[in-house]
Amino acid sequence: MDEKPPPGRPWQRRRFLAALGAGAGTAALLTVPTGASAAPRPDQAAPAKRTGWAAAATQNGWPVIGSDRASRLRVEGANATVALLPGTTAAVLLHVARRFHYEVDSIETINGHRSDRRVAAAYESNYLSGTAIELLPGRFPAGARDGLFPHELATVRDILAECEGVVRWGGDHRTLPKEGHFQIDVRPGDGRLRRVAVRIREWTEKPGQGAGTAPDIFSRPRLAAASGLADRQRASA
């Protein structure tokens, strides 16, 4: 049976308004460039030149795979499926997609593994290994910034912190941001990835935990974790 999404967006807006003024951590977490108020039009994204990715491994260190090694998996709660490298990587990326669907915007389109080696930026190579997803490409074209409202941005930061930094967000890329892009950001065999994947799987067996539970993203501990990780990941983008 499908999970039913909670009343996420109205709840998040109420929590966002209540949290304003909570402190410097909140302000830093929600900082967006001047003029950000709504999703960008696709024509705001400058065309990107694509080159061929020739390496045997993708930017995050995972081997390039053929379509026969990618599994098409369902995003629970959404009417969407995505091709990913099965296992721990898929477990974590599907969790990201579920939370995004429940708390940010309904996922109608999601891209995953692909065989086309033409990339506009190195991070796009990660689709070749099935270790990256692209949510709502029509809403978040490559090169466009400021496509998230502040409470949506705070939710994305909370998702990344919940994944303990094993996932990186394309919105932090300095030269070609893609705000619908999320990728595994650790090498194969990294114990942190397995730890996060195990915890996510445990949540599916316990009511009131995991995606669909509308966490209090503006609680002080969650804000601190999200803000600290945001600082580290933006510095290395």
Side-chain angles (χ1 to χ4, degrees), residues 57 89 144:
T89 57

Side-chain angles (χ1 to χ4, degrees), residues 29-30 51 96 187 198:
L29 178 64
L30 301 180
T51 58
V96 171
R187 303 277 173 169
V198 167

